[in-house]
Amino acid sequence: MDRPEVLYIVVPCYNEEEVLPETARRLGEKLRGLVRRGLAAPGSRVLFVDDGSRDRTWALIARYHRDDPAVAGVKLAHNRGHQNALLAGLMAARERCGVTISLDADLQDDMEAMDQMLEQFYGGCDIVYGVRNDRAADTPFKRGTALAFYRLMAALGAETVYNHADYRLMSRRALDGLSQYREVNLFLRGLVPLVGYRAGVVEYRRGERLAGESKYSLSRMLNFAIDGITSLSVRPIRLMAAAGGLLLCGGGLWLLWLLVMALAGRPVAGLTVLLASVWTIAGLQLAGLGLVGEYVGKVYLEAKGRPRYLIEEELV
């Protein structure tokens, strides 16, 4: 490399008062180490994005900014969710740096992987994905649901990176490409691979959360999975249409068989089968309506063209 680029480490935060002091300390030390090693240029920053927190998260960010110019902050006017907060930070950093690395505030992602990410960046990669090489820190339920999620996404035609969340490096060019995707329904794990450009992978081991509790409850994880699938693929609708076609063919053959048996003088008493068939078809219809409704809802949100986020204050 000719010279190091300015690096912004983008950290979305929502009610992270408990974990933020240690996170700010560790990331500050890490950033200074990267500058000393020549992997980041002077003027690099840790950019915290407050996603409308209700605790003292923004007050802490403002204090850290006053004490250390290497700490920057963006405060959203309202809670818009993790993906929008992350995008807000990336877009705020885009005009000020040559490369970004995003990670969560709980620091379960191994910071030491940043060195390898930056080395791959200087080697020509515009995007470097942080990929977990094990899930020992997760509960068996979370491991199972995560595996099912990635397999389902792949089966439905969505392009994602297995065992990758939002720990990634993106160059200025990759951020410029991402900025052209204007949809309101954000699923960055699926959008970033669509940007293209040369990509690399760095494997790391995910640790325990520093403090506080995870913001992803089961219901939020399910909603996140549904948003990801419906934002990236129409295959679920096609599968539902195929299931309807199969049921239609099966029902037609069954009616034909009943007609043949009746003409042969051997009528079939099939009340139980009839009831089961009615329930099956009714359930399929309701599921299909719900699925189509999910896509129509996405179109409705996109058509209104509301802003994905509004920035109330910036400390840069």
Side-chain angles (χ1 to χ4, degrees), residues 6-248:
V6 172
L7 165 68
Y8 267 56
I9 301 174
V10 180
V11 188
C13 305
Y14 178 65
N15 292 343
E16 298 290 1
E17 178 182 356
E18 292 183 61
V19 74
L20 202 57
E22 184 65 13
T23 298
R25 184 187 68 80
R26 292 191 187 186
L27 286 177
E29 290 178 357
K30 182 62 182 177
L31 186 62
R32 288 188 288 272
L34 292 172
V35 173
R36 284 195 300 269
R37 290 190 56 197
L39 291 174
S44 296
R45 300 283 187 271
V46 178
L47 174 62
F48 293 105
V49 184
D50 179 19
D51 183 24
S53 298
R54 294 189 297 269
D55 62 3
R56 296 181 60 252
T57 294
W58 181 247
L60 290 174
I61 294 171
R63 191 179 81 192
Y64 300 149
H65 174 72
R66 289 194 299 269
D67 295 342
D68 184 357
V71 175
V74 170
K75 178 178 174 58
L76 301 190
H78 191 270
N79 176 245
R80 296 296 297 155
H82 178 274
Q83 296 292 280
N84 282 297
L86 176 54
L87 182 68
L90 293 174
M91 293 301 103
R94 181 167 65 106
E95 303 296 331
R96 299 178 172 93
C97 68
V99 60
T100 64
I101 295 178
S102 60
L103 77 167
D104 291 338
D106 56 22
L107 289 192
Q108 287 185 270
D109 299 316
D110 183 10
M111 291 188 302
E112 300 310 311
M114 291 184 186
D115 301 65
Q116 298 175 59
M117 288 181 170
L118 288 165
E119 287 167 1
Q120 291 199 29
F121 163 68
Y122 292 119
C125 289
D126 283 287
I127 302 170
V128 182
Y129 300 103
V131 174
R132 299 173 61 170
N133 56 19
D134 71 74
R135 288 185 169 271
D138 289 346
T139 63
F141 174 77
K142 190 170 183 179
R143 283 197 297 270
T145 53
L147 178 62
F149 169 74
Y150 286 110
R151 287 182 174 175
L152 181 61
M153 293 291 286
L156 294 177
E159 185 180 354
T160 57
V161 178
Y162 182 69
N163 266 346
H164 164 71
D166 289 300
Y167 188 22
R168 71 177 71 88
L169 174 147
M170 296 187 71
S171 70
R172 170 73 176 273
R173 182 167 73 151
L175 292 173
D176 287 341
L178 180 63
S179 70
Q180 297 181 48
Y181 288 79
R182 307 303 303 168
E183 54 253 58
V184 174
N185 303 285
L186 277 180
F187 185 70
L188 293 176
R189 299 181 198 183
L191 282 183
V192 173
L194 295 179
V195 172
Y197 300 130
R198 182 177 170 185
V201 168
V202 171
E203 293 188 349
Y204 69 97
R205 183 171 183 176
R206 190 169 168 88
E208 299 288 344
R209 184 179 172 87
L210 288 179
E213 297 180 353
S214 172
K215 305 303 183 295
Y216 274 94
S217 62
L218 178 59
S219 61
R220 291 189 68 181
M221 287 191 292
L222 288 174
N223 288 332
F224 187 64
I226 292 171
D227 283 342
I229 292 168
T230 54
S231 296
L232 296 173
S233 175
V234 295
R235 192 172 293 179
I237 288 183
R238 293 173 180 169
L239 290 175
M240 188 61 68
L246 289 174
L247 276 178
L248 179 62

